[in-house]
Amino acid sequence: MGRKKVVVVGAGVVGASIARVLSQYNELDVYLLEKNADAGMGVSKANTAIIHPGHEDDPKKYPLRAKLCVKGNRLWHQWVKELGIPAKFPGELMIAVEEEDLKVAKHYLELARKNGVPGVRLVDNEELRKLEPNVNPNAAGALWAPTAGVMASPMAAPALVENAVTNGVKFLPETEVRGIKIEKGEVKGVETNRGFIDADLIINAAGLYSDKISKMAGIDYFTIRPRKGQYYVFDDDATPKVTRILHQTPTPMTKGVYVITEMNDGLMIGPTAEDLPEDAKEDTSTTKEGLDFVWEWAQKLVKELPPKNKVIRTFAGLRPEPPDGRWIIEAYDDPWGFINAAGIRSPGLTGAPAIAYYIVEELIQKKLDIKLTKKSHWNPYRRAFWFKHLPPEKQNELIQKNPSYGNVVCMCREITEGEIVDVIKRMKNMGVQTITLDGIKMRTGAMAGTCQGSYCRIRIARIIARETGIPLWEVSLKGKGTEYGIGDVKVLLRENGGDKNAE
Amino acid sequence: MQNDYDVVVIGGGPAGLAAAIKAKELGLKVLLLENRETLGGVPLQCIHPGFGLHYFKEDLTGTEFIYRFIHKFLDMGIEHYTGAHVVSIEPYSDLEKRLRVVTSKGVLDITTTTLIYATGARERHPFEIGLTGHRPAGVYTAGEAQTMMDIDGIMPGKEIVIVGSGDVGLIMARRFALEGAHVKAVIEIMPYPGGLTRNIVQCLQDFGIPLYLSHAVTRIEGTKRVEKVIVTKVDENLKPIPGTEKEIECDTVVIAAGLVPYLKVLERVGVIIDPATRGPVVNEYLETSIPGVFVAGNALVINDLVDYVVEQGELAAESAYLYVQNKGIPTKKWKKLVKGKNIRLAVPHYLSGDNDVVIYARVQKPEENVKLRFPEINKEIKLPFVKPAEMIRIKLRKEDIAKAEDKITMEVVPNE
């Protein structure tokens, strides 16, 4: 058989997990393609950040989702440590706001049993109030799932890719797949904006565009629709907060809004679930109606929300919704070598590590009968630290070696110049061509605090300009077409020679 | 055990520099901490005039104004760190505050008897003013755009919509026009402009820039870069009126929706905040609810004029001196300054009657031909007009304050 060249399309959390797992094997040369400037800038960037327990999917209807969510939860417990992704496991309360919602909770208790989720049980009002002091005191009860967690999800895909690259994966950002070459029923490679890349196996993890990629391989039995979710994030000093992950028993109307305290200590509420037309795959806009809906539903879960003037951000993300809600994880006989990991809607973040193992073990090794052996020197670790969490003597040691660790650039989140320079180096080593402001934000949380970058964004842009040798105005927010400025301050006077308003 | 310093000043803008200079003149052992790489704060990026009319009796640019303070500060050899970030404050006792500061020289643990908090303000950002829609490139706060143009010399964009008609928004409208950008509109949610009349004339009218009152930007469109904004008329409750939406095409949105005192580190130790100013509650010494912690400048209340900021800095330094001399502010029977009719905010919040006090206040809505009245002390001042954009600065004499029992009401009433 010899070596196999694998192209993974899409460096979101699913594609990045697949690349990381593939990098454990001797026989594979892995190329991870991403059309954006960086990993995790699509679907993976905006979600509820929850590591789900796995008791919300009916194994009859959604066998893969049910199985891989439970397994993914367990894998993340280990992966967040290996990769240095901030995470916590406070457990989750599915709240029965009204008495009749308890029936729904019981149904999910049954699913927890079927799916093998440990520790799930019903709690009454009294215990509920002990588990979550800020809960709506009139709630009838809740279903308690202790294995649920929260992670710094924007960091997930970049961290996974960084570790995958450490283990030999080649990451190719700003590389868009335009076609797939198939000969005699076997895949041969992908056409991209940067030329042709040979491949024996192509794994499609293209998120919202996985239907388009699949069509290129001649597999067109599904379309992916975007489903929008809108959120509020509060300042880290806004109270009251919650200890647990809260959401309500799903209704036919809504799967429910969550209330969590995310990893930067801010309360977060959301999402909506709005089905958009097929062509709205870039519509991550928020709407007043959507945000009002989130506010209204979140209020039912807690005693009170923090005041609205403590909101620091509203955002929306899109989930790739497959036709019948089922994840499309398949290897095909025709074309041989094409594998779909498509329509990975919720709980995709939780399921990602398990999806990756499923693809390697069940599809590549069993179904396609490709023999693989594990590397003896695979490095599972991505070393990372947060300056603000180090003890003062460690901080001093770092500053003595490199004074830029003593220069706090982002005040709200206490991120230092040293950390930003370190992140830029990591991005370059990982293969990122365009160092973006969003790339820095995803990895450090800088510009995402109380002032939303109004103080520090320019200071971070200056560091990027200095470290990459480009003019300040060319530093981009998230890749080409999103530059910080348009030129030097006299550029328009040179171009149009005067005052536009006077014309 | 001696503390390292009598007073530590946090912030090296106009309030902080003025406070440190005054404290040094009074003979205190002073340290000033500035988190930027240079001293001077926001006036450094203010290349427009209008600074120092009261303090220096001259019309200076912000940069010229602040350099006078920087030079004086440096000439006096006052100890300071730039690039210094205060991580935490521990009010250990009334006579000892402990600070942890990260600097490029290392992490410093500092003790001081008093603290002057002069950290200035942060800008309100798009998510605080209910803006919905996309989050593309091309959205800036006014201060960020000002820094880009006047410190870094780069141009944010071509076709500009400015949200907010406060002085900052007006000055940036003119700034963009001067560099050849097309300023398509200044959008103001209130039925009256937020800035000084002088600036409406000099920044908008002189440049033919349209001002839309009682309008709000409700939505930003554009996936990569801003393509347009949706603007709506608002009713008297500031709620959008359906059916009045219109689009303005632009590539740049500048948010100039006001400032908020930036006190994160101080708030963490439980300082009491006035919801109206969003700065700390203070007595006439500008002392916060934490004994020996004083506050001045935009960290106390958002000021119109840098001259007031300097005045507050100097008062905070004099108060710190009194505190050090007396080992605390002497116990007094405080009278509360109560906000009456049409007063939105007023500082300081507590007065004693032992000192003359300068009151800084803002009204809720514009009124003409009015009296500013303090009924408990029979004081009235006739004013031709009051407006929210223009801070009222008024001095109360100690003998007048002393007349009041436990409160002094400040109100605006028609002049009949």
Side-chain angles (χ1 to χ4, degrees), chain B residues 63-75:
Chain B
T63 323
E64 288 169 330
F65 177 90
I66 201 66
Y67 261 90
R68 294 195 181 185
F69 282 88
I70 295 171
H71 286 311
K72 188 166 182 187
F73 176 89
L74 294 174
D75 287 346

Side-chain angles (χ1 to χ4, degrees), chain A residues 236 284-286 312-314 316 392 396 399 406 411-412 450 457-459 462 484-487 489-490 501, chain B residues 35 37 100 103-104 106-107 125 127 132-133 135 139-140 144 152-153 155 179-180 183 207 219 225 262 264:
Chain A
D236 55 17
T284 55
S285 67
T286 56
I312 58 167
R313 196 168 183 87
T314 53
N396 265 326
I399 295 170
M411 286 203 296
C412 304
T450 313
R457 184 162 72 161
I458 187 154
R459 303 168 96 202
R462 285 175 196 150
Y484 193 43
I486 56 169
V489 77
K490 298 295 175 193
N501 279 79
Chain B
N35 63 346
E37 298 78 2
R100 173 158 291 169
T103 75
S104 53
V107 181
H125 51 69
F127 304 101
T132 62
R135 295 164 302 288
V139 183
Y140 311 86
E144 183 183 20
D152 295 86
M155 194 66 184
E179 297 299 357
V183 185
F207 289 86
R219 198 175 159 82
R225 174 126 196 159
Y262 190 85
K264 252 182 123 62

Side-chain angles (χ1 to χ4, degrees), chain A residues 192-419:
Chain A
T192 77
N193 57 328
R194 293 165 177 261
F196 185 76
I197 301 169
D198 296 322
D200 303 305
L201 297 173
I202 297 169
I203 303 174
N204 171 20
L208 289 162
Y209 297 92
S210 51
D211 51 356
K212 185 173 136 191
I213 300 292
S214 191
K215 276 191 187 75
M216 291 176 190
I219 294 162
D220 60 356
Y221 65 90
F222 63 90
T223 52
I224 301 298
R225 286 171 170 278
R227 181 174 283 178
K228 187 190 280 188
Q230 304 192 37
Y231 299 84
Y232 284 96
V233 184
F234 292 89
D235 198 359
D236 55 17
D237 63 9
T239 53
K241 293 181 189 178
V242 295
T243 311
R244 315 292 173 190
I245 297 163
L246 308 185
H247 65 131
Q248 67 261 51
T249 49
T251 67
M253 286 294 295
T254 168
K255 213 174 153 281
V257 163
Y258 282 84
V259 180
I260 69 160
T261 301
E262 46 89 44
M263 290 314 297
N264 290 300
D265 275 344
L267 195 79
M268 182 164 103
I269 60 175
T272 51
E274 305 160 65
D275 284 311
L276 303 186
E278 208 186 312
D279 60 1
K281 289 179 176 180
E282 297 295 319
D283 180 10
T284 55
S285 67
T286 56
T287 62
K288 187 175 180 306
E289 299 70 27
L291 292 168
D292 288 348
F293 172 91
V294 166
W295 193 272
E296 181 196 344
W297 280 82
Q299 277 182 313
K300 300 178 186 188
L301 297 175
V302 288
K303 271 187 205 154
E304 61 170 334
L305 290 170
K308 250 193 185 148
N309 71 7
K310 287 285 184 184
V311 169
I312 58 167
R313 196 168 183 87
T314 53
F315 70 93
L318 299 172
R319 333 156 161 80
E321 197 60 35
D324 55 4
R326 285 183 200 178
W327 288 349
I328 299 158
I329 308 175
E330 297 271 2
Y332 303 90
D333 295 327
D334 184 13
W336 192 96
F338 187 77
I339 297 172
N340 262 327
I344 309 296
R345 41 96 69 198
S346 178
L349 174 67
T350 309
I355 291 169
Y357 279 109
Y358 176 86
I359 286 174
V360 174
E361 289 164 4
E362 299 298 318
L363 303 182
I364 296 178
Q365 288 177 285
K366 284 191 189 150
K367 189 166 180 200
L368 300 181
D369 196 24
I370 294 169
K371 300 279 178 288
L372 297 175
T373 56
K374 287 241 169 145
K375 289 176 183 170
S376 52
H377 295 297
W378 184 73
N379 177 3
Y381 298 108
R382 169 187 168 270
R383 295 275 172 231
F385 69 87
W386 298 79
F387 181 86
K388 62 180 165 186
H389 296 322
L390 296 174
E393 54 276 11
K394 275 266 177 258
Q395 292 181 331
N396 265 326
E397 234 173 84
L398 265 176
I399 295 170
Q400 299 318 327
K401 265 190 267 184
N402 178 352
S404 70
Y405 281 106
N407 179 22
V408 175
V409 172
C410 164
M411 286 203 296
C412 304
R413 291 273 167 88
E414 278 172 31
I415 306 296
T416 64
E417 182 185 355
E419 286 163 291

